[in-house]
Amino acid sequence: MTIAANPTPLLRVEHLTMRFGGLFAINDLSFAAKQQEITAIIGPNGAGKTTVFNCLTGFYKPSSGRLTLTAPDSDTPHLLERMDGFCITKDAKVARTFQNIRLFSGMSVLENLLVAQHNALMRASVYSLAGLLNLKSYRVKERQSIEKAKYWLEKIGLTAQADWSAGNLPYGSQRRLEIARAMCTDPVLLCLDEPAAGLNPKESLELNDLLLDIRREQRIGILLIEHDMSVVMNISDHIVVLDHGARIADGSPIEIRNDPAVIRAYLGADEDEDLPQEIATDIRHAAQREAR
Amino acid sequence: MEYFIQQLINGISLGAIYGLIAIGYTMVYGIIGMINFAHGEIYMIGAFVSLIGFLFMGVLGISYIPLALFLVLLMAMLFTAIYGWAIERIAYRPLRGSVKLAPLISAIGMSIVLQNYVQLTQGARVKPLQPIIQGGFELSGANADFHVRLSYLQIVIVLLTIALMSIFTYVITRTPLGRAQRATEQDMTMASLLGINVDRIISTTFVMGAALAAVAGLMVTLYYGVIDFYIGFIAGMKAFTAAVLGGIGSLPGAMLGGLLIGLIEAFWSGYFSIGYKDVAAFSILVLVLIFRPTGLLGKPEVEKV
């Protein structure tokens, strides 16, 4: 956080709408994620959080709207809604994880991290020809990739398990490995879809540290979907709350905690709106009597 | 005993050829989960390109056999790989993401198209090629009543197969390309999210499979000396059987399966009736599938509940 951050937001979502038939999964959603910040997207189930991610990473072509990504060191923004799936990772440098674990379970832990550096290695190996001939330029690049993988293994504490088959790791380690793998693609924006799902409290804390560490050292932005409020409230710089595909609140964790619209979305409408008329009046009278 | 060794030699050479074709089936199945029924035709085209290549060498007057062989090999691999690439581009890629049966039907259509195309352009008659690699070793003593022959051609076939399989295994296990192929095989979506151009990886897979099939085509042209536009069908079926026998999706399985099919055929035709050699090969397949549905080296899929 020492160097002055690029004032342009890292990601700007403008009037994003995603329609499935007559259903609006996202309806005219706009928000921005700043450079080097952790932005959390929260909301009740079915609010459209994952749909936002799917639009960002090219799974869905948005019905309308604009998704602009501006990397910290460049002036030319990428328009994500116009790019093909793999280019979003390769050129715009957006990485993503899923709610469920999608490691390459048949490959080793190290290979999972190397495959994420595919494009750099492929370029160095001239489509594997140089790799086949074992040329020096390729060997250097390969060593660099292994170094980078080692760095991340160290960070997530899996150095000793580097040769394990990824599917044999315990659940919490697999979660961390997924984040490390995403980081090996050198992203400028890391999108995490419920990274704390299924983690125990201790692992959740470790995850917090890992994410704060990534933000501090790699100076990238993180976009986070999460239900675990101990994660969201502790590490987010900025929270966007969605309900029924629309933004209902936007602000710092403290603002969000006290926002009536958010409380309503999570806990349901105010009591007296749902209760039968006479009971609601009774409660109100009782409350007034007590107040006196 | 001599007779047995002779059949073993014949079986291994035949098995090497089947193994090379089977790799194409197993790789394509592994990566996009479809059976490329046009792969037998790819092999047939490889054989035709080799034949044309040898005639071309004759025209150019290249009579040094190792050089001619090398040039024809390159030519066959190159041209057949282009066919493999084009087939994927035209017949399979537009259907990716539709129902599973669609590319399968498309593959059968492609197979018929290629057969007829070669029949029309090259004629329906059997094409002969004079023996190019002649001679061999006599392995048994002079007074034995049966002479075991190991021809130079058989040595070339086996050595070439071993070399290609080694290169191939190296590419798959050690290079970034192979790593990306294995990643695409396991989870195409995730691979593309890591910035891998999945379409290009799939094309490369077809190109690699086709190049190996071309080598098989070249070797068959040399081995039998006659080819026609229909050889792709039965060889394709056998190689497919080999891939299933070894465990479809598994590379060592395809090599093992090919070898086994070759051996079964050679021994059956050596000791029993040559007319029933295909029946024998397919019967073994049925038996293996009853007792080991995933094939010899295929891993059973364990579903976690």
Side-chain angles (χ1 to χ4, degrees):
Chain A
M1 301 287 275
T2 46
I3 57 161
N6 189 335
T8 329
L10 175 59
L11 173 72
R12 192 181 274 144
V13 175
E14 290 161 297
H15 306 291
L16 178 67
T17 299
M18 185 70 220
R19 211 171 33 230
F20 297 103
L23 176 84
F24 284 84
I26 305 175
N27 194 357
D28 196 24
L29 172 71
S30 299
F31 70 89
K34 293 205 188 99
Q35 306 277 355
Q36 300 171 27
E37 278 199 358
I38 298 182
T39 307
I41 302 178
I42 62 170
N45 287 327
K49 303 178 299 274
T50 302
T51 311
V52 173
F53 270 29
N54 284 343
C55 291
L56 277 177
T57 48
F59 277 94
Y60 298 153
K61 289 277 168 238
S63 310
S64 64
R66 193 137 89 131
L67 303 161
T68 325
L69 184 98
T70 316
D73 50 1
S74 92
D75 306 320
T76 47
H78 289 283
L79 294 176
L80 298 183
E81 78 277 7
R82 296 190 189 166
M83 297 173 79
D84 273 336
F86 77 94
C87 290
I88 290 179
T89 312
K90 193 178 157 211
D91 302 328
K93 300 279 178 200
V94 177
R96 172 192 183 167
T97 67
F98 288 88
Q99 284 174 34
N100 49 340
I101 288 180
R102 292 181 81 163
L103 288 171
F104 301 118
S105 53
M107 291 162 78
S108 77
V109 171
L110 179 67
E111 276 188 315
N112 265 280
L113 297 183
L114 289 181
V115 91
Q117 303 175 52
H118 172 78
N119 286 312
L121 277 171
M122 207 62 169
R123 222 172 300 124
S125 76
V126 200
Y127 228 56
S128 281
L129 275 179
L132 208 54
L133 303 174
N134 216 4
L135 296 184
K136 187 154 182 251
S137 60
Y138 170 67
R139 280 207 308 273
V140 169
K141 188 70 208 166
E142 195 184 32
R143 205 171 311 125
Q144 284 170 0
S145 303
I146 292 176
E147 283 306 316
K148 188 194 239 167
K150 272 188 187 161
Y151 170 84
W152 283 105
L153 285 176
E154 188 89 26
K155 273 241 180 302
I156 58 171
L158 289 178
T159 311
Q161 286 88 349
D163 289 331
W164 285 28
S165 162
N168 293 343
L169 288 174
Y171 185 84
S173 309
Q174 292 196 12
R175 279 265 175 226
R176 272 176 293 148
L177 180 58
E178 279 212 305
I179 296 175
R181 183 180 63 179
M183 285 308 298
C184 278
T185 62
D186 280 329
V188 295
L189 175 66
L190 177 63
C191 302
L192 301 172
D193 197 345
E194 297 196 29
L199 297 186
N200 62 33
K202 183 174 158 282
E203 288 170 331
S204 276
L205 283 179
E206 284 172 6
L207 177 75
N208 285 358
D209 291 341
L210 177 65
L211 296 184
L212 288 173
D213 197 79
I214 288 175
R215 185 194 57 173
R216 194 171 51 240
E217 291 191 6
Q218 314 294 322
R219 290 205 287 271
I220 64 167
I222 298 178
L223 204 57
L224 180 76
I225 293 179
E226 189 49 72
H227 283 299
D228 186 338
M229 285 303 144
S230 72
V231 174
V232 172
M233 292 298 168
N234 282 330
I235 67 171
S236 313
D237 299 298
H238 182 93
I239 298 178
V240 178
V241 190
L242 298 189
D243 193 22
H244 296 105
R247 189 183 70 182
I248 57 168
D250 189 342
S252 70
I254 300 158
E255 287 163 12
I256 294 300
R257 214 192 293 259
N258 302 316
D259 192 312
V262 176
I263 297 168
R264 205 177 313 127
Y266 269 91
L267 302 177
D270 273 353
E271 295 161 35
D272 44 341
E273 275 177 29
D274 282 330
L275 296 169
Q277 191 59 51
E278 49 274 44
I279 300 176
T281 351
D282 279 355
I283 291 175
R284 212 160 27 233
H285 286 315
Q288 281 165 2
R289 233 173 291 134
E290 221 161 276
R292 269 186 229 124
Chain B
M1 187 59 203
E2 281 85 3
Y3 192 60
F4 176 83
I5 292 173
Q6 183 66 67
Q7 293 311 324
L8 191 68
I9 293 171
N10 294 348
I12 289 174
S13 340
L14 195 58
I17 295 173
Y18 286 144
L20 282 177
I21 312 175
I23 284 183
Y25 278 104
T26 220
M27 272 178 63
V28 166
Y29 180 82
I31 208 152
I32 52 173
M34 71 163 272
I35 306 292
N36 179 11
F37 276 113
H39 192 61
E41 268 54 56
I42 289 283
Y43 147 85
M44 179 266 292
I45 284 174
F48 268 88
V49 175
S50 315
L51 182 75
I52 296 167
F54 279 121
L55 298 178
F56 197 57
M57 292 300 134
V59 171
L60 289 182
I62 297 172
S63 53
Y64 181 57
I65 287 172
L67 178 67
L69 203 61
F70 179 72
L71 289 177
V72 172
L73 185 72
L74 282 188
M75 192 175 143
M77 284 172 93
L78 180 72
F79 278 95
T80 316
I82 294 172
Y83 274 98
W85 178 83
I87 289 173
E88 193 269 339
R89 196 72 190 76
I90 295 166
Y92 307 148
R93 193 183 293 182
L95 296 172
R96 201 167 299 148
S98 68
V99 285
K100 279 232 152 166
L101 275 178
L104 198 72
I105 303 294
S106 181
I108 294 172
M110 207 65 213
S111 149
I112 296 169
V113 166
L114 288 175
Q115 262 180 36
N116 286 305
Y117 156 70
V118 173
Q119 186 186 5
L120 280 173
T121 52
Q122 298 295 321
R125 262 182 297 170
V126 169
K127 303 276 178 297
L129 178 74
Q130 69 197 47
I132 286 181
I133 305 177
Q134 281 165 318
F137 298 111
E138 295 282 339
L139 290 184
S140 48
N143 52 356
D145 51 351
F146 183 83
H147 294 288
V148 179
R149 268 182 61 80
L150 173 61
S151 69
Y152 293 138
L153 181 59
Q154 283 171 325
I155 297 174
V156 169
I157 287 177
V158 171
L159 287 184
L160 195 56
T161 306
I162 292 173
L164 283 172
M165 299 249 178
S166 316
I167 295 174
F168 200 71
T169 312
Y170 182 83
V171 168
I172 296 290
T173 52
R174 294 291 163 82
T175 65
L177 173 66
R179 216 178 282 131
Q181 280 179 317
R182 282 179 291 143
T184 307
E185 185 177 329
Q186 285 182 46
D187 190 337
M188 209 181 275
T189 323
M190 198 62 233
S192 107
L193 271 179
L194 293 175
I196 295 172
N197 187 344
V198 169
D199 278 339
R200 188 182 289 170
I201 294 293
I202 292 172
S203 290
T204 315
T205 307
F206 273 85
V207 164
M208 285 162 84
L212 290 185
V215 179
L218 166 67
M219 296 194 303
V220 154
T221 313
L222 291 173
Y223 200 52
Y224 290 128
V226 285
I227 54 169
D228 61 55
F229 71 97
Y230 203 62
I231 56 167
F233 177 71
I234 196 75
M237 279 326 245
K238 295 260 184 61
F240 173 53
T241 308
V244 174
L245 184 64
I248 195 142
S250 148
L251 285 178
M255 302 177 201
L256 178 70
L259 204 57
L260 281 179
I261 293 282
L263 286 172
I264 291 164
E265 256 193 58
F267 280 115
W268 189 276
S269 28
Y271 286 99
F272 302 101
S273 127
I274 196 163
Y276 283 95
K277 70 181 165 97
D278 295 348
V279 175
F282 289 115
S283 306
I284 299 280
L285 171 77
V286 170
L287 286 178
V288 168
L289 286 185
I290 287 172
F291 294 106
R292 261 194 83 88
T294 53
L296 294 172
L297 298 185
K299 284 191 203 87
E301 273 187 30
V302 185
E303 206 173 321
K304 267 191 191 169
V305 185

